[in-house]
Amino acid sequence: QLQLQESGPGLVKPSETLSLTCSVSGGSISSSTYYWGWIRQPPGKGLEWIGSIYYSGNIYYNPSLKSRITISVDNSKNQFSLKLSSVTAADTAIYYCARDTSGYYSFEHWGQGTLVTVSS
Amino acid sequence: QTVVTQEPSLSVSPGGTVTLTCGLSSGSVSTSYYPSWYQQTPGQAPRTLIYNTNTRSSGVPDRFSGSILGNTAALTITGAQADDESDYYCLVYLGSGIWVFGGGTKLTVL
């Protein structure tokens, strides 16, 4: 059974870089035609797509965040990562990683999410 | 920038039917946008209900159905139950590697 687990610091200072990792078990990141994505949810607000990486290595970013985001994959560790630079309080959110439903551009499997607070 | 629109809130009586919609600020939602629907209860990760417009995800009861209604995607709950009280989000794929969530609908069952 596919499982995704986010990990990373729960507290980041303003202007610094937020770094999160999604560890995948029960399936290989590189072996099938899936998108792997990051989604966030500020407290009390809605979901926002951050970006996705395709198994082939193509990467897609939310245009509104593009200048600050880097998504990468480590096939050897079966993980993919998110870096968000120059964070502000507005980046405080629960961050989810997810895998899509192959060929249908939706997110089928979700991690439990991790809360990242931006504060000095 | 394309905005995906949803009703901020809706209510339904137990056993009743309710339809949530998902539209675009410019244009119509069609199957080409691969609309999907997610249910989220407080403190939980989203749960996938519907993908590819009308395909139920594994384990989702058949009282949840997806469709295209006019120029919007729609999620219909038939025979609503108390535990259907949740936030519901739609997601559309705009193409060229861009996904957008709607703002969500808070559904009350009363």
Side-chain angles (χ1 to χ4, degrees):
Chain A
Q1 182 179 352
L2 188 75
Q3 292 188 329
L4 298 91
Q5 178 69 58
E6 306 88 352
S7 61
L11 182 63
V12 181
K13 291 182 169 54
S15 80
E16 295 189 345
T17 296
L18 177 160
S19 296
L20 295 174
T21 296
C22 182
S23 299
V24 178
S25 58
S28 172
I29 279 186
S30 60
S31 66
S32 300
T33 58
Y34 294 112
Y35 286 92
W36 303 87
W38 288 98
I39 298 102
R40 71 180 182 178
Q41 185 172 36
K45 297 187 177 180
L47 300 169
E48 179 181 32
W49 172 73
I50 298 171
S52 296
I53 184 166
Y54 196 43
Y55 84 107
S56 61
N58 290 348
I59 305 174
Y60 304 95
Y61 296 141
N62 184 323
S64 68
L65 299 169
K66 186 175 183 177
S67 63
R68 299 195 290 131
I69 305 173
T70 302
I71 292 176
S72 60
V73 65
D74 187 334
N75 290 322
S76 67
K77 295 183 178 179
N78 218 33
Q79 297 175 337
F80 62 105
S81 299
L82 169 70
K83 293 186 185 300
L84 179 64
S85 64
S86 305
V87 297
T88 68
D91 295 310
T92 294
I94 297 173
Y95 286 77
Y96 297 99
C97 59
R99 195 205 77 182
D100 88 324
T101 311
S102 181
Y104 297 113
Y105 303 102
S106 60
F107 294 107
E108 179 181 18
H109 296 280
W110 295 72
Q112 66 184 23
T114 187
L115 175 63
V116 179
T117 301
V118 178
S119 175
S120 55
Chain B
Q1 183 177 348
T2 301
V3 175
V4 177
T5 59
Q6 296 184 246
E7 299 87 356
S9 63
L10 289 170
S11 62
V12 62
S13 300
T17 297
V18 63
T19 296
L20 290 67
T21 66
C22 175
L24 292 176
S25 57
S26 56
S28 302
V29 177
S30 67
T31 56
S32 300
Y33 288 90
Y34 298 91
S36 53
W37 291 90
Y38 305 85
Q39 179 191 49
Q40 188 181 36
T41 52
Q44 298 296 314
R47 169 198 182 196
T48 308
L49 295 175
I50 300 287
Y51 64 93
N52 192 29
T53 304
N54 56 16
T55 303
R56 273 185 296 276
S57 191
S58 177
V60 174
D62 60 7
R63 67 177 185 275
F64 293 93
S65 62
S67 64
I68 298 293
L69 284 181
N71 60 355
T72 67
L75 172 71
T76 300
I77 306 173
T78 304
Q81 299 181 1
D83 60 3
D84 294 336
E85 186 162 294
S86 302
D87 294 326
Y88 292 84
Y89 295 92
C90 69
L91 173 70
V92 298
Y93 178 66
L94 299 184
S96 302
I98 301 296
W99 285 260
V100 181
F101 282 98
T105 296
K106 184 176 185 63
L107 181 67
T108 301
V109 181
L110 49 73

